[in-house]
Amino acid sequence: GYPSIGNSTNKFLGDLDGDGHIINNLYINRSSSNYVGLFGYNYGVIQDLTISNSVIKGKDYTGLVGHNYGTIKGVRHLDMNISGNNYVGGIVGYNSKTATGNIVSGKVNGNQYVALGVGNNSSATFEAIVEGDVVSTSNYVGGLAGYVTYGKLSGVFRDGSVTASGSSYSNKVVGTYNNTTPGLVSLDTISLKIAGSDSSVQGTSLT
């Protein structure tokens, strides 16, 4: 399959403006490797790009972007099928900076820290509209985000399901925020919405 651009040693430092172009049928099969995705490790800017009908298989830090320390904006990842172990997300497995204005649809499978949007959002900003199904063999699982450590999170979970074998920290929007129940998240930190509801929900556990 396609090799990931950037890793923990040689990070992507550039500026990719997709200018609305579409990448179809991306296939990456590196299930024994970490930092797997179109971009394995991003320190640059990735924007205005659509990826359709992708299959991405990795280990830890797997997504369209495995680990993000840069900027991801206006990216659409549609009809995807992503699988990994820990830190698995449709846009980014582990987000440490900024990912905004993104759209995701498809399926994500993993162990811990798994979501359609971002597996782990660590003192970072993440925003997306997500739709699809998430399956986990453990905990910290959500539709939009699996685990949030401070930072800012906003988005819409349009439709789909979240299934986890673990006994804790999983729900339809956010798995957990700093190991607390999502209902305790402050209003200025997280703003979430289930499509069709009349108002935003502040991380309330929804099934």
Side-chain angles (χ1 to χ4, degrees), residues 10 32 65 68 91 123 132 156 172:
N10 299 301
S32 61
V65 178
N68 178 53
I91 290 293
S123 300
V156 176
K172 203 168 185 178

Side-chain angles (χ1 to χ4, degrees), residues 106-149:
K107 299 178 181 179
V108 176
N109 290 269
N111 183 38
Q112 292 192 113
Y113 311 103
V114 182
L116 286 163
V118 56
N120 190 320
N121 194 61
S122 179
S123 300
T125 298
F126 185 85
E127 175 192 14
I129 297 172
V130 303
E131 179 176 4
D133 302 318
V134 183
V135 177
S136 164
T137 56
S138 189
N139 305 307
Y140 308 115
V141 189
L144 186 65
Y147 192 100
V148 179
T149 312

Side-chain angles (χ1 to χ4, degrees), residues 2-132:
Y2 187 88
S4 300
I5 301 171
N7 54 45
S8 58
T9 302
N10 299 301
K11 304 170 180 66
F12 176 72
L13 303 173
D15 186 340
L16 174 67
D17 187 342
D19 195 26
H21 285 83
I22 301 173
I23 297 174
N24 289 309
N25 304 318
L26 174 68
Y27 180 75
I28 302 173
N29 186 0
R30 301 179 185 277
S31 57
S32 61
S33 299
N34 298 326
Y35 304 105
V36 174
L38 178 60
F39 293 87
Y41 212 119
N42 175 50
Y43 258 79
V45 178
I46 305 164
Q47 61 182 331
D48 195 15
L49 179 66
T50 298
I51 296 87
S52 179
N53 196 36
S54 67
V55 175
I56 300 174
K57 300 177 182 179
K59 191 178 178 183
D60 296 339
Y61 306 98
T62 295
L64 184 63
V65 178
H67 195 160
N68 178 53
Y69 260 103
T71 298
I72 306 167
K73 58 183 179 180
V75 171
R76 297 157 295 278
H77 196 188
L78 310 176
D79 298 320
M80 61 173 187
N81 193 328
I82 293 184
S83 59
N85 186 39
N86 299 325
Y87 308 116
V88 184
I91 290 293
V92 57
Y94 197 110
N95 184 38
S96 298
K97 197 170 182 184
T98 304
T100 58
N102 304 300
I103 299 174
V104 184
S105 68
K107 299 178 181 179
V108 176
N109 290 269
N111 183 38
Q112 292 192 113
Y113 311 103
V114 182
L116 286 163
V118 56
N120 190 320
N121 194 61
S122 179
S123 300
T125 298
F126 185 85
E127 175 192 14
I129 297 172
V130 303
E131 179 176 4

